[in-house]
Amino acid sequence: MKIMFSVGEASGDLHGAALAKALVKQVSQVEMIGMGGKHMASAGVHLVYDIQQLGVVGIGEVIRKIPFFFRLRTYLLDVIRREKPDILICIDYPGFNMQLMKKAKALGIPVIYYILPTIWAWNKSRGNVIARYADLAISLFPFEAQLYKQLGTNVIYAGHPLLDMVQPTMDKEKAYAAFDLNPQKKTVLCMPGSRLQEVQRLLPVMMQAVQKLQQRIGNVQCIIPRAPTISRALLERMVYPATVPVRIGEGNVYDMMQISTAAVVASGTATLETALMEVPTVLVYKVNRFTYTMAKLLVHVKYIGLPNIIMGRSIMPELWQDKVTPQRIVSVLQPLLTNEIIHERQRCAMAMVRSALGSRGSVDRIAMEIVKFIKER
C-alpha cells in the first residue's frame, strides 16, 4: 500500500505525523511519501518536498508567490505520475491542495481530504469542490461534518485528533528545568505563528507587551516555542533587545504550555491547543491591510478563534488588526496573570472545550477508516 501526503503548514505536519503513525499500526506494509515537515519525516514519511520553504500568509503574500506554487504543483503531479500512489491524502492548506486534488483526480488517483476548508466561515463554494473531487472527506467538528453532508460530500466525523496529541511529556518540575524557567515567576507563552510574515508582524508587538508587563507587575518571564518553519537565528535576533527573560523552546510545546501562566497566540490551531491545555489565552490576528480588507468582505463570522467558535460564545479574548498593540495586549493579559478569579474563570472555560469535542482515539479511528476505504477501492 502506497500513500502520498500533501501538507503545507506546521500544524498540518503535526496532524500528518500522527496519522502516519496510526496508519503504520493498521498496515505493516505501507509506503508513505509526500510533501511535509520534520514531524512527518520522523513518523516514516519520505519527504519529496520540505515545507520549510512555504512560509506565506495572507492574500497579498500568496499572490506574489503564485508562479512558485504553480511550479510546486507541477512537481508534485510529476511525483504522482512516477510513484502511482494508491491514495492522495490532502491535509488542510486549501488554497494549494484543492487545485492539486483536481489534477490528481484527473490522473485517476483517489483523494482523501483531511482537515477541511472552513466553509462555515467563508468561501462556501469550496464545499462544492470538496463534494465533487474528494472521494472521502474527514471533518474535525460535528457541525462541520453536517454542513458538508448537506452538500452531498462523502464525509465522516471521528473526533478531533488534538484530543490525543495535546498532552505534556514531563511533569512541571522537569519542564521548568528543561526550559530554564523560574517556577516563582509568571510565565507568558508567546506563539507568533508558523509563517515568516506572521512572526515578523506579531512577535515584536508581543515582546513589547511582555516588557510592559515586566515594568508594571515585575516577576515576568517569557517562552517562545520555535515552529519548525522558522529559524532559531531569526527568533534570537527579534528577541535580543528584550530586557525581560526570554527562552526559545525547541519541541515539547505542550510542556511549555503546562508551565505557562497565560499566553498570547496567533490565530490558528494553536489557540485550540492552548484551550485544551487550559491555558488562559489572548488571541491576536494581524495581516497586511489588503488581506484584512478582503477578509472583512469575504468572512462573516463573529469569532475567528476555534475555542470561541466551538463554544458559540467568547471564552478567549480576540484582538484583531489595529487592536493588536502592546497596550491592548497588556490590558487583556495582565488580569489573566494577576487576578486569580479572572484566571480561573478562563481556565474553566478552556476546560469545557475538551468536553465539547468528545473522546480520545480519533486518529486511530481515522486511520482505520482510511485503510478500509483504500482496501474497498
Side-chain angles (χ1 to χ4, degrees):
M1 184 180 294
K2 182 181 289 188
I3 298 173
M4 181 167 172
F5 293 86
S6 178
V7 167
E9 296 178 292
S11 61
D13 182 38
L14 288 169
H15 288 295
L19 181 56
K21 291 175 184 176
L23 286 166
V24 169
K25 288 194 292 184
Q26 295 290 329
V27 184
S28 56
Q29 297 297 318
V30 59
E31 181 182 354
M32 299 178 292
I33 62 172
M35 178 170 73
K38 69 173 187 178
H39 294 290
M40 289 174 62
S42 297
V45 179
H46 171 67
L47 298 185
V48 299
Y49 189 85
D50 193 315
I51 63 169
Q52 191 164 350
Q53 312 300 318
L54 300 179
V56 297
V57 62
I59 298 170
E61 292 89 338
V62 170
I63 289 173
R64 286 192 290 272
K65 293 196 72 172
I66 283 177
F68 163 79
F69 285 114
F70 271 109
R71 293 193 300 271
L72 178 58
R73 187 180 69 190
T74 299
Y75 167 70
L76 292 179
L77 289 170
D78 287 341
V79 173
I80 288 173
R81 292 187 186 95
R82 182 177 69 248
E83 297 291 340
K84 297 179 175 61
D86 294 299
I87 202 85
L88 170 66
I89 301 178
C90 294
I91 301 180
D92 203 1
Y93 212 52
F96 180 86
N97 273 333
M98 292 181 72
Q99 296 303 314
L100 180 66
M101 170 179 65
K102 293 178 182 179
K103 298 292 184 180
K105 285 287 288 183
L107 295 174
I109 304 298
V111 176
I112 294 176
Y113 210 111
Y114 178 37
I115 307 181
L116 297 166
T118 54
I119 59 171
W120 36 268
W122 78 298
N123 207 345
K124 294 182 180 179
S125 63
R126 285 178 165 180
N128 294 319
V129 176
I130 295 292
R132 180 177 178 183
Y133 292 98
D135 296 276
L136 176 65
I138 303 170
S139 175
L140 298 188
F141 308 104
F143 72 89
E144 179 185 70
Q146 198 59 40
L147 288 174
Y148 272 96
K149 195 169 292 184
Q150 290 170 7
L151 295 173
T153 312
N154 180 24
V155 61
I156 61 170
Y157 171 71
H160 202 294
L162 284 182
L163 294 172
D164 299 289
M165 299 164 60
V166 178
Q167 50 189 324
T169 63
M170 60 185 86
D171 62 35
K172 288 188 176 183
E173 184 178 349
K174 289 182 180 178
Y176 277 114
F179 300 114
D180 192 25
L181 290 170
N182 185 344
Q184 305 305 317
K185 290 188 174 183
K186 305 286 187 182
T187 302
V188 178
L189 176 75
C190 290
M191 299 186 72
S194 61
R195 304 178 183 96
L196 179 60
Q197 290 89 347
E198 267 186 318
V199 174
Q200 292 174 329
R201 194 171 284 122
L202 292 175
L203 186 54
V205 183
M206 291 179 176
M207 295 311 303
Q208 291 174 49
V210 172
Q211 291 189 121
K212 284 183 178 295
L213 283 167
Q214 171 72 1
Q215 294 165 5
R216 288 192 182 188
I217 64 175
N219 209 33
V220 172
Q221 60 192 350
C222 175
I223 187 164
I224 305 169
R226 185 183 73 83
T229 49
I230 303 297
S231 75
R232 185 180 183 90
L234 172 67
L235 294 179
E236 288 176 343
R237 286 197 301 271
M238 296 181 77
V239 305
Y240 175 73
T243 56
V244 64
V246 179
R247 301 288 180 264
I248 297 173
E250 298 282 351
N252 302 101
V253 65
Y254 305 128
D255 292 302
M256 299 181 216
M257 289 180 184
Q258 77 159 332
I259 57 173
S260 297
T261 316
V264 188
V265 180
S267 174
T269 304
T271 61
L272 184 54
E273 292 173 315
T274 57
L276 293 176
M277 284 297 296
E278 300 180 15
V279 182
T281 299
V282 179
L283 177 153
V284 291
Y285 171 79
K286 188 173 186 178
V287 292
N288 69 40
R289 183 66 57 183
F290 173 71
T291 300
Y292 185 67
T293 301
M294 293 298 293
K296 285 202 298 183
L297 293 173
L298 298 172
V299 180
H300 304 286
V301 291
K302 190 174 181 179
Y303 310 112
I304 57 175
L306 285 171
N308 294 337
I309 293 169
I310 291 167
M311 300 307 298
R313 60 188 178 92
S314 178
I315 63 170
M316 179 180 288
E318 297 184 0
L319 297 177
W320 298 10
Q321 203 64 9
D322 293 337
K323 292 183 179 179
V324 181
T325 65
Q327 294 78 10
R328 287 292 190 108
I329 292 174
V330 168
S331 68
V332 182
L333 189 61
Q334 185 172 338
L336 296 174
L337 294 171
T338 60
N339 189 311
E340 290 185 11
I341 295 175
I342 294 175
H343 180 279
E344 184 62 15
R345 185 187 302 144
Q346 205 200 70
R347 190 200 65 76
C348 290
M350 299 294 100
M352 293 173 66
V353 175
R354 179 177 288 273
S355 299
L357 289 178
S359 62
R360 297 175 59 181
S362 66
V363 180
D364 288 332
R365 291 193 292 270
I366 290 167
M368 288 176 61
E369 291 290 343
I370 289 174
V371 171
K372 176 184 175 184
F373 175 83
I374 294 173
K375 288 181 176 178
E376 288 177 350
R377 299 285 299 200

